[in-house]
Amino acid sequence: MLKDLCQTQGQQKLFLSKELTMTKKAEIDWETLGFDYIKTDLRYISYWKDGAWDEGTLTEDNTIHIGEASPCLHYGQECFEGLKAYQTRNGEIQLFRVDQNAKRFKDSCERLLMPTIPEETFIAACIEVVKANEAYLPPYGTGGSLYIRPMMIGIGNSIAVKPATEYLFTVFCMPVGAYFKGGMTPVDFMVSDYDRAACNGTGQQKVGGNYAASLIAHDIAVKKGFADCIYLDPLTHTKIEEVGAANFFGITKDNRFITPISCSILPSITKYSLLYLAENVLGLEVSEEDVFIDELDGFAEAGACGTAAVITPIGGIHYHNRLHVFYSQTEVGPITRKLYDTLTNIQLGDIEAPEGWITKVK
Ligand SMILES: Cc1ncc(COP(=O)(O)O)c(C=O)c1O
């Protein structure tokens, strides 16, 4: 039913979208795309009320009209996801590990006492939104992709601190390029005194409140000339947790792939993909373990990884008035490069993906 509805609506509006395709494709400079919002033609929207989701629809309207006492506005009852669609060399379109985003979304919803979205509905909505906005998909070879943003908010007017009585689930998309300026060139980060999230709080979920709390640390880092900040564990401030909105990994001098283990970091889908690829494709020893900030000398290379960051090499980390440089501030280390090539070639369909990692849109 959901699919039929989306297809009917999608086809009508796709006609519109095709008309616009010529000018829009020409207007977007794919090579210099960053991570700024670009309105695309259609987004998916579905409402939950009285214990059930409606059928969902695609709409041209990119605004949301909600009650002033909606719990998402006051108490942050909101969660979201981020994933990408890629055009392959032969013109197909594919999603990378969308099932993992669907699962993590479910976990976030449950943590905030929100209704869940069936995995099939989540995946179908992402597929339909990509299809409906194909005009905005950066062509193969440009380095761009179509970023997909599913989100859920608690709506309906209720001012008491309790779960909302109504919910809205929406999925929109936009073309993107590099998240950190320069893409696959090393950038420097500084260690922040602020905490991002807590273990028994919502550190492992992708909820808006974590990001609101992180804005000040990011702002300070950028004003000081760094790409972003590094968060340490909230309890002891001795161990690396996250690199801005990405996970951390390091390559030791004896070629081991290490990434932090913690109950207050987001379980990054890119990180788990790299753990698999480092071990099974590059043949490295891998481990999730504590990464102490005063033991950075053990790493020959380091990077930030995530859907938006892809792999961003870390040039140096500023901590206690000293910049610790890993491989180089200008050159990418050989293992970071190999991991990047392997991951992006899989995402673009240039090499075979491990089973279940790719969902074809077209
Ligand atoms: C705080 C945080 N950590 C890590 C990541 C990377 O996660 P993923 O690889 O699933 O995109 C993200 C981005 O989603 C993030 O927001």
Side-chain angles (χ1 to χ4, degrees):
M1 192 62 176
L2 157 78
K3 219 167 165 76
D4 294 347
L5 189 66
C6 290
Q7 275 169 356
T8 315
Q9 296 219 352
Q11 268 160 18
Q12 281 165 9
K13 304 213 171 125
L14 259 180
F15 178 70
L16 230 192
S17 147
K18 283 249 164 65
E19 298 262 289
L20 296 171
T21 300
M22 302 304 157
T23 45
K24 282 202 172 128
K25 282 251 181 207
E27 271 167 24
I28 295 174
D29 182 357
W30 306 110
E31 315 282 339
T32 57
L33 270 174
F35 219 83
D36 293 328
Y37 177 76
I38 293 175
K39 180 179 181 283
T40 53
D41 293 347
L42 291 160
R43 69 269 315 120
Y44 175 84
I45 191 157
S46 178
Y47 288 91
W48 186 95
K49 201 178 173 181
D50 300 328
W53 289 104
D54 69 8
E55 287 176 324
T57 185
L58 290 176
T59 171
E60 286 180 333
D61 190 358
N62 72 332
T63 61
I64 295 170
H65 191 77
I66 57 173
E68 62 187 358
S70 290
C72 66
L73 298 177
H74 302 265
Y75 310 125
Q77 204 187 15
E78 187 272 354
C79 65
F80 67 100
E81 269 304 324
L83 67 149
K84 285 176 173 172
Y86 305 84
Q87 185 175 57
T88 66
R89 191 186 288 270
N90 60 11
E92 290 178 351
I93 304 172
Q94 57 187 33
L95 305 179
F96 181 71
R97 308 203 72 177
V98 60
D99 60 317
Q100 298 301 307
N101 293 95
K103 288 190 172 81
R104 193 169 63 187
F105 193 65
K106 180 169 181 279
D107 182 52
S108 297
C109 291
E110 285 171 348
R111 177 65 180 79
L112 296 191
L113 292 183
M114 300 164 92
T116 55
I117 288 280
E119 208 175 297
E120 324 73 82
T121 310
F122 182 99
I123 295 173
C126 291
I127 289 176
E128 293 308 326
V129 167
V130 171
K131 277 188 188 162
N133 295 291
E134 194 182 331
Y136 298 86
L137 181 73
Y140 174 86
T142 57
S145 53
L146 198 63
Y147 183 76
I148 306 164
R149 168 54 61 89
M151 67 143 178
M152 192 187 294
I153 54 175
I155 58 172
N157 289 317
S158 68
I159 204 68
V161 182
K162 59 179 188 183
T165 49
E166 297 170 33
Y167 293 89
L168 186 156
F169 169 62
T170 173
V171 181
F172 68 86
C173 69
M174 61 179 208
V176 297
Y179 184 73
F180 290 115
K181 272 200 195 95
M184 186 54 176
T185 49
V187 283
D188 297 337
F189 295 85
M190 65 164 273
V191 172
S192 176
D193 293 332
Y194 284 97
D195 296 331
R196 191 192 76 94
C199 277
N200 293 329
T202 52
Q204 292 188 73
Q205 284 81 31
K206 206 163 167 66
V207 305
N210 292 347
Y211 296 80
S214 76
L215 295 176
I216 191 166
H218 172 82
D219 190 56
I220 291 169
V222 170
K223 283 188 177 139
K224 288 190 174 170
F226 295 95
D228 209 331
C229 62
I230 296 219
Y231 297 97
L232 301 181
D233 69 293
L235 204 58
T236 68
H237 277 210
T238 58
K239 296 175 269 183
I240 292 186
E241 294 250 299
E242 299 251 24
V243 188
N247 276 186
F248 174 90
F249 70 86
I251 310 296
T252 60
K253 290 181 176 157
D254 58 353
N255 283 351
R256 286 182 304 126
F257 177 99
I258 309 289
T259 184
I261 188 157
S262 160
C263 49
S264 47
I265 66 179
L266 189 78
S268 156
I269 295 162
T270 315
K271 188 261 294 288
Y272 285 113
S273 305
L274 291 179
L275 273 166
Y276 179 88
L277 296 174
E279 184 171 22
N280 296 286
V281 179
L282 272 64
L284 307 181
E285 205 182 298
V286 302
S287 144
E288 285 181 275
E289 58 187 60
D290 288 338
V291 175
F292 290 94
I293 188 67
D294 59 3
E295 290 179 6
L296 295 179
D297 286 343
F299 292 114
E301 300 176 35
C305 63
T307 298
V310 192
I311 288 181
T312 301
I314 300 180
I317 293 182
H318 189 267
Y319 178 62
H320 281 172
N321 295 322
R322 176 175 168 242
L323 185 71
H324 178 96
V325 175
F326 295 94
Y327 185 76
S328 152
Q329 281 180 281
T330 51
E331 305 287 320
V332 182
I335 294 187
T336 305
R337 167 68 65 187
K338 263 191 213 156
L339 284 168
Y340 178 87
D341 289 345
T342 309
L343 176 72
T344 54
N345 283 336
I346 287 173
Q347 290 169 333
L348 290 167
D350 285 337
I351 58 176
E352 202 180 326
E355 207 185 328
W357 281 21
I358 296 296
T359 299
K360 291 281 179 202
V361 170
K362 186 186 118 178

